[in-house]
Amino acid sequence: MFWRGVLGYLPVNIVQGVVGLLTIVLFTRLLDPAQYGVYALAFSVFSLVQTGLLTWTEAAMARFLATRSEDGRIADHFATLYRLWLVAALAVPVVGGAVLAFAPLNGPLRIALAAGFAAVLVNSLVKLGQERRRAAGEVSGAALLSMVQTAGGFALGLGFALAGLGGAAPLLGIGIVSLACVAAVLPRELKFMTGGRFDKALARTYFTYGAPVALSLILALVLASTDRLLLATFLDEATVGVYHAGYSLGSRTLDVVFIWLGMAGGPALIQALERGGQPALEDAAREQAGVIVLLTLPAAVGLALVARPLADLMVGEAMREQASHVTPWIAASGWLSGVTTYYLLQAFTLARRTSLLIVSMSAPALANVALNLLLIPRLGLDGALIATTVSYGLGAVAAWALGRRACPLPIPWAVLAKAAGASLAMAACVAMLPAPGGLLELVLKAGVGAAVYGALVLGLDVAGLRGKLSLILRRKAQAA
């Protein structure tokens, strides 16, 4: 199931990668730093509201679909979950109305927040449909829905930005395209509840499982958002815009790979545990962890190495220089965050001990707030970068230590050591190359870095890579 998902979700991640990069390229040029900062702040609030109020239902959909398929209670599963979602959704306009009515907001930020609150409900309904398809192994359906929402939201948001709607434009695009997706997919989703009934016992199980997941994700968002909010408080919205541009350049590039592997990996681990128990889970997890390390560690190191020429190409001139300074720090914290989210934290959802998610995320979230409060007034933008990287490192250690108590997942230490050594050798070679700037420097360093890393991991036969490539080539030859 893992490799079928990896191949099936590849188009999704190509679309998400292209859209993520175009978002940086175009919005950092169409919006000035203050407008881009408004968008960053409004998007952070949008994410916090959806996560805090509705994501727990999405998590329950993903985790328990396989279980309800085994016990024949799919209709009750849907009837219970959608009623729970409806009750939780009633809180969104209440929270949104209170923020817009009483918070001291300027005009552009108020409009952007209103667009974000409106988008929360329809975006969550789309997410429920995506999670159902992913958990059921409907790779093509989940992939198509994600691609339409991602590409359509970007295109419409771009149009709104060209029309002069400022920082609200991307969120308006997300909301309107999500509404169209809901109209297309919701009728089919609701048919699954035909003949089902609301079950209080299932509701308690889903809430007990999902609420800690949501709270842990809120803590993760605190890790990702506190720096922006405090930069706006201590400095200004223009600094937030610069920070968000560099942050997006680093995190979105890595997120494309992590989300791709996570879309396939999470359901595959659940299926392995439900059908084969702990031995099957350990085999599947060991394979996934090796693939994650091999693909993402060199990507993070390479991103740091090409931060300047990448920023020259991708970021508007007003934000370019400082964004290139931000990106290497975010490459490090983004790798730590991705490994934690898409592998280490899976231990708690697999074991259904989601309360430990809260514990594992509390330490880095609290550390992030404290460090930002301490360092931003003294070091400015650099203070936020140091606080973010240290906090994500603490989060990875906490997730690993607590995960061993819930559902031990293997750590591929040998693969990690070899991939790290190959990445360091790659960095040494790239550092000796000339720096002509722009596209030429980016292509030169990326090409040399990829060639060096690829040759080293093949030479070291990391994770049996030579044998796997030989098998693939042999099968292709036989098929031909």
Side-chain angles (χ1 to χ4, degrees):
M1 184 175 180
F2 173 61
W3 287 107
R4 181 163 63 90
V6 167
L7 295 175
Y9 290 124
L10 180 59
V12 177
N13 287 275
I14 292 174
V15 170
Q16 289 180 340
V18 171
V19 167
L21 294 176
L22 287 177
T23 297
I24 300 169
V25 171
L26 297 176
F27 284 117
T28 58
R29 287 168 169 81
L30 291 172
L31 306 178
D32 63 37
Q35 290 175 325
Y36 199 74
V38 164
Y39 156 61
L41 292 170
F43 188 81
S44 296
V45 173
F46 158 81
S47 301
L48 282 168
V49 171
Q50 180 170 335
T51 301
L53 298 178
L54 298 171
T55 293
W56 64 274
T57 61
E58 302 158 13
M61 174 69 80
R63 180 62 182 88
F64 290 99
L65 186 73
T67 305
R68 296 288 83 84
S69 296
E70 293 292 324
D71 63 22
R73 300 190 64 190
I74 285 291
D76 291 346
H77 175 68
F78 278 84
T80 301
L81 259 182
Y82 272 93
R83 285 172 174 80
L84 289 172
W85 182 91
L86 184 60
V87 172
L90 295 175
V92 174
V94 175
V95 172
V99 170
L100 295 175
F102 301 110
L105 307 171
N106 60 41
L109 184 55
R110 189 180 301 275
I111 294 171
L113 285 174
F117 285 123
V120 164
L121 295 175
V122 286
N123 191 64
S124 179
L125 281 173
V126 175
K127 186 67 174 176
L128 275 175
Q130 289 176 339
E131 292 298 336
R132 198 275 305 167
R133 286 165 170 77
R134 284 183 57 220
E138 297 179 13
V139 175
S140 60
L144 179 61
L145 185 57
S146 180
M147 287 189 290
V148 169
Q149 188 182 26
T150 300
F154 165 74
L156 199 57
L158 182 62
F160 287 139
L162 289 168
L165 295 184
L171 291 163
L172 285 170
I174 291 171
I176 293 174
V177 170
S178 294
L179 180 61
C181 290
V182 167
V185 304
L186 189 59
R188 183 194 174 196
E189 297 301 308
L190 294 180
K191 288 181 180 178
F192 286 105
M193 70 170 66
T194 302
R197 62 183 181 84
F198 179 82
D199 187 290
K200 291 182 179 179
L202 289 183
R204 283 193 297 270
T205 299
Y206 294 167
F207 182 78
T208 302
Y209 170 86
V213 172
L215 184 53
S216 71
L217 290 173
I218 290 173
L219 293 171
L221 285 172
V222 169
L223 268 172
S225 304
T226 299
D227 40 21
R228 294 165 179 79
L229 298 174
L230 291 177
L231 281 169
T233 299
F234 289 115
L235 300 175
D236 51 41
E237 291 175 355
T239 304
V240 177
V242 169
Y243 181 81
H244 188 69
Y247 196 106
S248 297
L249 196 61
S251 66
R252 288 191 181 185
T253 305
L254 291 175
D255 281 349
V256 169
V257 184
F258 278 116
I259 293 172
W260 171 39
L261 298 176
M263 290 178 76
L269 292 181
I270 292 172
Q271 292 281 4
L273 180 61
E274 293 288 340
R275 295 176 179 176
Q278 189 67 27
L281 172 64
E282 289 183 3
D283 290 341
R286 186 175 293 106
E287 180 181 36
Q288 286 191 31
V291 172
I292 288 171
V293 169
L294 278 175
L295 291 180
T296 61
L297 185 58
V301 174
L303 184 62
L305 293 170
V306 299
R308 182 61 207 217
L310 188 61
D312 288 344
L313 290 174
M314 305 300 295
V315 180
E317 187 174 355
M319 295 180 260
R320 186 173 297 163
E321 183 174 353
Q322 286 184 289
S324 67
H325 174 66
V326 170
T327 299
W329 288 90
I330 301 307
S333 60
W335 186 79
L336 291 167
S337 172
V339 169
T340 302
T341 300
Y342 295 101
Y343 186 68
L344 297 175
L345 293 182
Q346 295 293 324
F348 308 120
T349 56
L350 290 166
R352 300 186 189 177
R353 297 184 63 183
T354 50
S355 59
L356 288 176
L357 279 170
I358 301 172
V359 180
S360 68
M361 293 303 299
S362 294
L366 292 173
N368 192 46
V369 174
L371 287 171
N372 273 294
L373 287 170
L374 177 67
L375 296 177
I376 289 177
R378 292 168 173 79
L379 301 176
L381 188 62
D382 284 349
L385 296 173
I386 294 169
T388 297
T389 305
V390 171
S391 299
Y392 276 118
L394 179 60
V397 172
W400 171 73
L402 288 171
R404 297 174 65 188
R405 299 175 54 187
C407 179
L409 296 177
I411 303 297
W413 294 112
V415 174
L416 181 60
K418 291 177 181 179
S423 296
L424 289 173
M426 174 187 73
C429 292
V430 170
M432 293 186 292
L433 296 173
L439 180 61
L440 177 60
E441 182 179 349
L442 179 62
V443 171
L444 176 64
K445 290 185 174 180
V448 171
V452 171
Y453 180 82
L456 287 171
V457 295
L458 280 174
L460 294 170
D461 195 24
V462 182
L465 194 58
R466 286 202 302 265
K468 292 176 182 178
L469 288 176
S470 298
L471 179 61
I472 292 172
L473 293 173
R474 195 160 53 246
R475 286 177 176 174
K476 284 187 175 181
Q478 291 172 351

